[in-house]
Structure formats: structure tokens, C-alpha cells
Amino acid sequence: MRADAVRNRERILEAARVEVGLGGTECSLDNVAKRAGVGPGTLYRHFPTRDDLVGALLLGWADEVRTDTDATAGDTWDDVLEWLVRLADHSMLYRGLASTLAAAEADEASPLRTVHAVVLGAMSRLLDRAREAGVVTVPVDADEISRLVAGIAMSAEQANLAAAQVRSMLAIVLNGLTQARPNN
Amino acid sequence: MRADAVRNRERILEAARVEVGLGGTECSLDNVAKRAGVGPGTLYRHFPTRDDLVGALLLGWADEVRTDTDATAGDTWDDVLEWLVRLADHSMLYRGLASTLAAAEADEASPLRTVHAVVLGAMSRLLDRAREAGVVTVPVDADEISRLVAGIAMSAEQANLAAAQVRSMLAIVLNGLTQARPNN
DNA sequence: ACCTGAACACCGTTCAAGT
DNA sequence: ACCTGAACACCGTTCAAGT
């Protein structure tokens, strides 16, 4: 890669971090290019789709989520709840992030597939620990929990919910994973 | 209102039903005007914002949801689950609908406020019945359930989930509303 | 009183011309 | 090999001119 290309790619990522931070994942790519000081064509050369750009932005993010998840014991109800809260928080780092990640689930060719897979892997391991500790007793997989948390994150984003309201919804979900289902 | 104005309003609503059905709540308003055979200015005169148009489209929808909810006994776990499934279905009538409704919750001045209020009222009454029957035992209000269902609907929409997967997520939520929370 | 459609701003995307 | 920026299509929104 040519020296100016490397530099431009870096500038674009830096500008994208700012613009996506301000306007969410659906922010104007024109503004990203302008802030980076490159022509729109240059942005498209480095990142052919919006998801390619967002995906590049999320590499470190996915690592953070995985590290946090792997460091969570998940052997008590409260421990799992706090982890769910942190996961929802992470999912709301940028506006539109939860929605973008959810859409990546259905799209086999999405540039966000790797990001999603990293998170799901860690979630799956945590789920095993939680099940062993008896915190999760209901049949469920990591995908399903991921979708539920993403849904809560999207809801919270649209309705501007406070942290306490998000926690309350997560508690209901966790409660649903913990108890045996009645048969009346 | 002048005769041509009445006719144009009707034409716009008819066109909107088609376009929103095809492209979701974020469909092009230009296309709505074109399909209705009116200038863009005419659309704006009748419906100053997108939410005004979507709100007008949802008047019958809200009635359907309320009627269905009021006709639901909610005295057994399965009965409430089936109602949740129908509510989620209704929330996915148009792409973007769940998201639009969720955003209306935070916006006091939204033209969708009435629509939202009608649904919430019916939900609140059903919740009382479910609580009396012991199906819901956890402290929760209609708003919170509405947000959880909206979140699941948004997740399902983004990830193209099948009906069975939606039902499974709703069952987890209902399970979380049914059982007492453990204190370990 | 209502409608029309031109006009403007903004954005995503492509591509011929440059270096 | 990479960059630039003009060009095109599309869309939301406004408003002067019509009837």
C-alpha cells in the first residue's frame, strides 16, 4: 500500500469515529470524507460500503466486549445481570449500532459478521458457565440472548430511556431465563 | 374543506398505504406524492411531517390492536403469550413501524402519541387481568412490556426472524414476568 | 383555499481525468 | 496505484405563481 493511501485510510477512520460518534452509524459519508480531507471517491476505495467502514471502527469494540464477557464468572444472578447491563451499554456506543449488528445476523456476507461472531463466541461460553451455575435453566442459545439485548438497546435508543429502565428490562429477560416455565 | 382537497387527501392516504407497505415507514415521500398524482407541496400541506402521514395510516391499526387486547382474557400463561405474539405481529405490519412507535414514546408532541396511548390503555387493562389471574407476578407496567415487545419486533425485522423465533423470545419475556425473582 | 412544480440543499455513488 | 472532484440520481422541503 502506498504511503499516502495508508495515511488517508487512517484519516478516514479517525474522521469516521468522530462523525459516527456524533450522528450514529447512519451519518453522512460525505461529511466523513470532508472531515478526513479526502474526496468521496477515496472513501469508497478504502471502504466500499458503509458496513465496511463501521466494521473497521468496531474491531476494538468487539475485543472489549469479548474480554469483558470472558472475565465475567456468570455464576450468580446479579453477576449475569451486570454483564447484561454492560453488554447493552456497549451496544449503545453509537446510535444505530444495535440495529446495524442485528441486521448483520441475517446477512451472511456482511463485513460485520466477524465482529458479531466474536461477541457471540464469548456469549456462548458465558452462557455455559451460567447454565452450570444454575442461573440459566431454560433452553436458549447465545443468538437468542443477543437478539433480546439488541432489541432492548434499540428500544432504549428510540425512546431515550434512562439506564435504570434498561436495567429493569434486562432483569425481566434474565428472570425469564432463570425460572422454569409453568405449565398452567 | 374544498372538494378537491378531500379527494387529494384520500388519494395520498391510499398511495401511502401502498408505498409504506412496500418500503416501510421510511419510504420516499416523493414516491407517495407521485403515486397519488399530486405535487409534493400538496402532500406537505395535508401532512406536514412523515409522522402525521404514518399516524393517519395507523388510526384503524390502533383500533384493531385495542379490540384484540380487550378481547383477550389474559388469565392463563398461554393466553397472554398468544396475545404477545399477535401484538408483535401487529408491530411488524410495516417495516420501521415498531421503531417509529418507540420513538413516539419519547416525543410528547408526536402525531403518533394518540395511537400509542390507545394501545397502552388496552395493554394496561390486560395487565391488570393477567396480574389478578397470577400470570404476571412481577412489578411491571404496560410501558415496559410495550418496549420489550417493540424491541423484539425491531430485532426480528432487522434479522429477518421466523415467527417461531419471535414466539420463543416473547415466551422468555413472559416467563420473566411470571416468576418471582430469586435472591441469590 | 388549494394546487403545481420549479428550486434548493443534501447525500450516495460512479468514473474520467489527473499524478 | 491512488486521488480528485465533477457528475448524476434521488430525496426532503419550501415557496412563488397559478386557479
Side-chain angles (χ1 to χ4, degrees):
Chain A
M1 197 141 78
R2 235 165 58 179
D4 55 347
V6 174
R7 208 195 41 193
N8 276 337
R9 195 177 188 280
E10 216 47 55
R11 280 187 183 175
I12 289 169
L13 280 173
E14 212 176 301
R17 242 177 283 274
V18 176
E19 290 292 329
V20 173
L22 291 171
T25 57
E26 297 305 313
C27 71
S28 154
L29 297 180
D30 239 40
N31 286 350
V32 172
K34 267 177 202 144
R35 183 181 288 274
V38 303
T42 304
L43 192 154
Y44 275 82
R45 162 168 282 265
H46 286 285
F47 304 100
T49 70
R50 183 184 293 273
D51 276 3
D52 282 304
L53 181 59
V54 174
L57 234 50
L58 288 182
L59 291 181
W61 179 89
D63 268 342
E64 274 180 46
V65 174
R66 186 190 34 178
T67 303
D68 175 70
T69 302
D70 282 340
T72 302
D75 56 348
T76 67
W77 200 90
D78 285 333
D79 196 43
V80 176
L81 178 60
E82 292 313 314
W83 167 76
L84 284 171
V85 168
R86 292 195 302 276
L87 180 60
D89 260 358
H90 270 113
S91 305
M92 292 188 279
L93 175 61
Y94 301 126
R95 249 181 308 142
L97 177 53
S99 179
T100 301
L101 282 172
E105 193 192 326
D107 181 7
E108 292 283 341
S110 167
L112 291 162
R113 216 92 220 299
T114 322
V115 165
H116 202 239
V118 166
V119 173
L120 275 183
M123 286 183 69
S124 182
R125 293 190 289 276
L126 176 58
L127 184 55
D128 286 342
R129 298 196 291 279
R131 207 187 296 281
E132 192 153 2
V135 175
V136 171
T137 62
V138 157
V140 65
D141 58 11
D143 274 284
E144 202 165 17
I145 296 177
S146 164
R147 279 182 225 127
L148 282 161
V149 173
I152 289 170
M154 288 186 258
S155 235
E157 193 179 293
Q158 293 300 320
N160 279 324
L161 299 187
Q165 294 173 292
V166 173
R167 175 187 299 265
S168 173
M169 292 165 80
L170 292 169
I172 289 172
V173 166
L174 179 54
N175 208 27
L177 299 175
T178 302
Q179 303 284 327
R181 186 170 305 174
N183 50 8
N184 65 315
Chain B
M1 198 141 75
R2 233 165 60 178
D4 55 346
V6 174
R7 208 195 43 192
N8 276 337
R9 194 176 189 282
E10 216 47 56
R11 280 187 182 176
I12 289 168
L13 280 174
E14 211 176 302
R17 242 177 283 274
V18 176
E19 288 293 328
V20 173
L22 291 171
T25 58
E26 297 304 314
C27 71
S28 156
L29 297 180
D30 239 39
N31 286 350
V32 172
K34 267 177 201 142
R35 182 180 289 273
V38 302
T42 303
L43 193 155
Y44 276 82
R45 161 169 281 267
H46 286 285
F47 305 101
T49 71
R50 182 183 294 272
D51 277 2
D52 282 305
L53 181 59
V54 175
L57 234 50
L58 289 182
L59 290 181
W61 178 89
D63 268 342
E64 273 181 46
V65 174
R66 186 192 32 180
T67 302
D68 176 69
T69 302
D70 282 340
T72 302
D75 57 347
T76 67
W77 200 89
D78 284 333
D79 195 43
V80 176
L81 178 60
E82 292 314 314
W83 167 76
L84 284 171
V85 168
R86 292 195 301 275
L87 179 60
D89 260 359
H90 270 113
S91 305
M92 290 188 282
L93 174 62
Y94 302 126
R95 249 183 308 142
L97 176 54
S99 180
T100 300
L101 282 173
E105 193 192 325
D107 180 7
E108 293 281 342
S110 167
L112 291 162
R113 217 92 219 301
T114 321
V115 165
H116 202 239
V118 166
V119 173
L120 275 183
M123 286 184 68
S124 183
R125 293 190 289 276
L126 175 59
L127 184 55
D128 286 342
R129 298 195 293 277
R131 207 188 295 283
E132 192 154 359
V135 174
V136 170
T137 62
V138 156
V140 66
D141 58 12
D143 275 285
E144 201 165 17
I145 296 177
S146 163
R147 280 182 223 127
L148 283 161
V149 173
I152 288 170
M154 287 187 257
S155 234
E157 192 179 293
Q158 293 299 318
N160 278 325
L161 298 187
Q165 293 174 292
V166 173
R167 176 186 298 264
S168 173
M169 293 164 79
L170 292 169
I172 289 172
V173 167
L174 179 54
N175 207 27
L177 299 176
T178 302
Q179 303 284 326
R181 186 169 304 175
N183 50 8
N184 64 320

